[in-house]
Amino acid sequence: MNQEIWNRTEWFRKERFGMFIHWGLYAIPALGEWVMSEKRMTVEEYEKYFEQFDPTDYNPREWARLAKKAGMKYAVLTAKHHDGFCLFDSALTDYKATNTKAGRDLVREFLDAFRAEGLKVGLYFTLIDWHHPDYPKYNDMHHPMRGNEAYKDENINFDRYLEYMHGQVEELVTNYGKLDILWFDFSYDNMCEDTWKAEELIRMVRKHQPDVIIDNRLEGSGEKNGSIVTDHPNIYSGDFASPEMIIPPGGMKDLNGKPIPWELCATMNNHWGYCYYDHTYKTSQTIIRKLVECVSKGGNFILNVGPDAKGRIPKESQEILTQVGEWMEQNGESLYECGISEYDKPEWGRYTQKGNTVYAHIYETPLGALPLYGISPQEVGTITFLSSGAQVQRGEAWNTAMYSDTPFVALGENPVFSYPLPDEIDTVLKIELKK
């Protein structure tokens, strides 16, 4: 792993849990952030949402407090998504929030609010722009006008688009103070790397924001020369990998088998942007256990919310995040500054580890005493329930005698009896090792 990247991502690898916020004009049709492409809408047809945009309930301080309550340590907002609409006051376009009924720089308000709550801040910026006249259309696999004969022989100046895109990124990294994360999206087909003038772009970013951490979506897919998994990544290969809606089975490693920084990005329901009919929300248990899985594999989890057209985070999201926060308040220590354990995953749950402290995340009610798989009995020091600090009793008894190489703990007074888990979502034991 490149040492410079490892050093730059130190805070990121400690804080582990963040909030993604996908929000823009697409909250008005309320069919997700890809509605312009999926419905093959022209710029003129989509323009009506620009005229309607009026988020009267936008209060980013409330968003920030919710994120903080949920145990999140950083947040990333979509400064611009694929439809080209800017939530920030760009000098390079009129297609921005300050020219809507909102009349305000919504990115600046977001950054101010989250910084005020002590959270680190980041901005998402798409490399794609379906509103800009010089972005490819007819032969592009994602553009709303793909295959539209009216654009088959259109002449565009892609260099002019790149100048515009680079210019907007420079606005974000020079006009809004220190950014902790810059989250680019996304490359596909031949739209990657040199097509974006990626090296030039990142050199400009690093000139203004040397410490900002950047995802890996400027480069195409695959373990090519210079990619993030190599010893000598390109300057545009990013500081962390960004798997979407899937947790890598073995975590993320470089070509030498060493862990690299990575972050799962996933939605609370099945859409990133607000979708009025999508109530298929993941439970707090699912979110907590997926967060634990990420940390146990050396990764982060950035969980998305999609505010509605008025600027409100959906009630379901708020309720679930509050439940996550209640668990994190009691058990967050087992995730912050933690990572891959030296011990293999146990059958009943997962291990995370920080130094000589192992955290046992128990999902499955044991039959009798719980075996601490992989740990030597001689290594085990004090064991407590993380949520309460109460001592956990050792569980060795007559029926464990033949398994002398495995330590056991009892979740109740009698080590042979079975007891319900104190927390069915995830009961966490704090195990201090003698080392």
Side-chain angles (χ1 to χ4, degrees), residues 43 127-140 143 145 148 150-163 188 190-191 195-196:
V43 167
L127 305 164
I128 298 165
D129 193 324
W130 298 328
H131 182 267
H132 197 282
D134 287 309
Y135 196 84
K137 303 174 187 63
Y138 183 80
N139 290 315
D140 184 85
H143 199 284
M145 296 298 102
N148 187 319
Y151 297 91
K152 185 175 183 179
D153 299 317
E154 182 187 35
N155 290 318
I156 63 169
N157 186 338
F158 191 66
D159 284 337
R160 186 162 54 199
Y161 170 70
L162 290 178
E163 182 180 357
Y188 58 99
N190 65 336
M191 305 296 283
T195 303
W196 305 126

Side-chain angles (χ1 to χ4, degrees), residues 165-182:
M165 186 263 280
H166 283 225
Q168 288 200 318
V169 173
E170 187 160 26
E171 288 180 321
L172 291 175
V173 298
T174 57
N175 295 341
Y176 293 90
K178 184 180 187 301
L179 299 177
D180 300 294
I181 302 176
L182 192 55

Side-chain angles (χ1 to χ4, degrees), residues 338-353:
C338 293
I340 302 169
S341 175
E342 63 189 275
Y343 305 103
D344 292 339
K345 178 188 178 303
E347 294 177 0
W348 38 255
R350 295 189 177 274
Y351 289 136
T352 56
Q353 188 166 350

Side-chain angles (χ1 to χ4, degrees), residues 304-317:
N304 184 72
V305 294
D308 66 19
K310 291 188 175 181
R312 298 174 300 196
I313 293 175
K315 183 179 179 181
E316 296 101 323
S317 294

Side-chain angles (χ1 to χ4, degrees), residues 3 19 29 42 62 148 150 188 228 231 279 300 302 330 339 404:
Q3 192 60 46
M19 175 181 279
T42 65
E62 290 183 356
N148 187 319
Y188 58 99
I228 192 172
D231 291 331
H279 301 285
N300 288 30
I302 188 166
Q330 300 293 324
S404 59

Side-chain angles (χ1 to χ4, degrees), residues 26 29 31-47 49 82-84 95 129-132 142-146:
Y26 43 82
L31 294 171
E33 75 289 350
W34 277 71
V35 62
M36 185 179 181
S37 174
E38 290 170 350
K39 300 295 185 182
R40 306 289 187 100
M41 299 176 73
T42 65
V43 167
E44 292 73 25
E45 289 170 332
Y46 198 75
E47 190 84 16
Y49 304 128
H82 309 329
D83 60 3
Y95 201 52
D129 193 324
W130 298 328
H131 182 267
H132 197 282
H142 297 302
H143 199 284
M145 296 298 102
R146 59 192 178 276

